[in-house]
Amino acid sequence: MKSAGFRFICFVLCAATLAWPQGVPTPATRASNSAGPGGLAGLIKKAEAARESDKTDEAIGLYKQIVRMKPDFAESWWYLGTLYYESDQYPEGQAAFRHVTGLKPEMALGWAMLGLCEFETKDYARALVHLSRADVLKIPRDGDFYEVAKYHLALLLIRSAEFESAVQEMAEFAREGKDTPQFTEAMGLAGLRKPLLPQELPPTERELVLDVGHAMCDAAGRRADSVENDTSELVRKYPKVPQIHYIVGAMVLASDPDRSLTEWKAELEISPSHPQVLVAIAQEYLKRGQYETALPYAERAVKANAGYFTAHAVLGQVLAEGNLDVSRGIRELETAVRLAPTQPQVHFALGTAYVKAGRKEDAAKERTEFLRLRGKN
């Protein structure tokens, strides 16, 4: 997903992102002050001219000379890295962007480009770490660069089975009407919980993935008229395919929770130990105050996946809020906190349960942690 304007955007963004403090000469300025026409300043001018004229090989050779002469020149490492990336020389690009991130660790673009190079060399674990770091540092939203980085981050999250996080990344583009075929395909992979990259998808499954992705993008983009047709078509075309009834139930939850329950129970006929479905049913009954009805679904969810923090959280809430077994509910919520200590809502639920048990000091600690995490997020 490397667009024609991507290279131009990389170079334009560089000027803003590699800004140096006012009053402090940049490396280029110092070089200009200290070197003659044949020295570093001359090389920089030649490199810029070659780059702007699309003489890639010549520009790469000149920037390599510059960084050998001045290894702490972050701007030249950046241009060298982008030239390598655009000419599909990804290992060399990785090396250049490692220098950029070492010299400018606060630069989101540097981490993003390092991650993109690592993606192309199939170093997926490091690519996920570095694109995630770029995301935390706030990737500039200008032009195609933001979309390219976010798309690859979503693919890596899918490959790592972090499906919910991937859907959140792509939902933003659906809301903006930017759900391209690539994003649609990735959304379908996430929705169907397939930890695959697009090129690994069997051709026989592509239509299913695109249909699911299209429906989920419509739902994320709040296109109500399309969603009604999408859900009917998914159930009609794929009535026995795992995950379809779960997806449809989630898509219609806001408008028709009774239908959601019907779809989710249909999913259990296909996938009896589906933890997300069991949790969804338990949550809906919890919301309705039907604690005893919710309880067996919550217990089955924990049994289906003991490491799924949401299952423990819902079971804890059902037990505590419904006064079915407050002590056991607290233990389940404490387990959820251990499994997901950065999730604010789990701390809130545990604090509420502590209040019910008369543990005011513990409740106050959980409420404080809830407020801290909510503010941080």
Side-chain angles (χ1 to χ4, degrees):
M1 190 180 173
K2 197 190 291 185
S3 71
F6 184 54
R7 178 178 179 181
F8 172 76
I9 291 162
C10 288
F11 293 153
V12 170
L13 289 176
C14 174
T17 312
L18 285 171
W20 301 86
Q22 273 195 332
V24 178
T26 67
T29 304
R30 290 196 293 269
S32 177
N33 292 339
S34 60
L40 185 59
L43 281 176
I44 291 170
K45 289 181 180 178
K46 288 180 182 179
E48 289 174 351
R51 172 171 54 79
E52 291 168 1
S53 301
D54 289 330
K55 298 177 180 178
T56 300
D57 292 341
E58 180 183 342
I60 286 174
L62 290 165
Y63 279 116
K64 285 170 69 176
Q65 292 182 57
I66 292 168
V67 295
R68 278 198 296 269
M69 294 173 68
K70 194 161 189 62
D72 63 347
F73 196 172
E75 186 174 346
S76 287
W77 280 116
W78 166 267
Y79 285 128
L80 182 58
T82 54
L83 288 164
Y84 279 137
Y85 182 81
E86 285 302 315
S87 56
D88 300 335
Q89 300 179 61
Y90 302 114
E92 293 83 357
Q94 280 180 245
F97 288 118
R98 276 196 290 269
H99 284 282
V100 174
T101 55
L103 293 166
K104 301 280 288 182
E106 76 286 358
M107 179 184 174
L109 288 174
W111 292 109
M113 289 302 298
L114 176 57
L116 289 173
C117 287
E118 289 164 338
F119 183 96
E120 296 296 340
T121 60
K122 297 182 170 56
D123 190 353
Y124 298 127
R126 285 193 176 89
L128 177 56
V129 169
H130 294 146
L131 282 168
S132 297
R133 184 173 300 180
D135 196 39
V136 169
L137 290 170
K138 305 299 182 188
I139 303 167
R141 296 183 63 93
D142 308 64
D144 293 346
F145 187 90
Y146 181 81
E147 294 179 23
V148 171
K150 284 284 202 174
Y151 170 71
H152 285 83
L153 174 57
L155 292 185
L156 291 167
L157 289 168
I158 292 166
R159 185 179 179 275
S160 299
E162 297 181 43
F163 303 113
E164 289 81 4
S165 297
V167 168
Q168 289 176 9
E169 293 292 341
M170 291 177 290
E172 169 189 351
F173 296 98
R175 287 193 293 271
E176 296 174 358
K178 296 180 179 178
D179 37 318
T180 63
Q182 292 97 330
F183 278 107
T184 299
E185 184 177 41
M187 185 73 97
L189 287 170
L192 290 164
R193 304 184 76 81
K194 292 181 179 292
L196 303 172
L197 295 175
Q199 62 268 28
E200 298 168 340
L201 179 67
T204 55
E205 297 182 21
R206 182 170 171 78
E207 182 179 356
L208 165 65
V209 168
L210 288 174
D211 284 347
V212 169
H214 177 74
M216 292 181 65
C217 285
D218 281 342
R222 301 182 178 89
R223 302 159 200 158
D225 293 342
S226 297
V227 167
E228 184 174 350
N229 182 66
D230 292 339
T231 55
S232 298
E233 278 297 292
L234 286 178
V235 172
R236 183 188 67 81
K237 289 179 70 174
Y238 311 108
K240 299 297 182 182
V241 173
Q243 199 69 9
I244 293 298
H245 291 283
Y246 171 61
I247 292 168
V248 169
M251 289 173 63
V252 302
L253 178 60
S255 60
D256 192 348
D258 288 336
R259 183 185 171 192
S260 294
L261 285 173
T262 298
E263 295 291 347
W264 290 334
K265 289 175 183 179
E267 183 68 44
L268 289 181
E269 294 294 319
I270 300 167
S271 310
S273 297
H274 193 309
Q276 288 77 28
V277 173
L278 292 163
V279 162
I281 295 172
Q283 283 179 322
E284 179 57 27
Y285 283 128
L286 171 64
K287 185 170 68 176
R288 298 178 182 199
Q290 298 177 16
Y291 304 108
E292 292 186 357
T293 306
L295 182 59
Y297 293 103
E299 289 180 325
R300 285 172 62 187
V302 170
K303 186 176 180 180
N305 186 350
Y308 186 25
F309 85 89
T310 309
H312 291 280
V314 171
L315 177 56
Q317 286 180 282
V318 169
L319 291 166
E321 290 183 25
N323 290 313
L324 303 179
D325 188 336
V326 175
S327 297
R328 184 184 165 208
I330 286 172
R331 291 196 297 273
E332 291 293 337
L333 286 163
E334 288 171 340
T335 298
V337 166
R338 283 197 298 273
L339 290 170
T342 62
Q343 293 292 325
Q345 291 300 331
V346 182
H347 289 277
F348 184 86
L350 179 56
T352 302
Y354 281 147
V355 169
K356 182 160 284 194
R359 296 169 58 175
K360 294 183 180 179
E361 186 175 337
D362 290 331
K365 289 179 181 177
E366 293 303 319
R367 294 295 177 88
T368 299
E369 184 64 6
F370 162 73
L371 292 171
R372 185 187 73 81
L373 289 170
R374 189 178 66 172
K376 183 179 179 181
N377 290 341

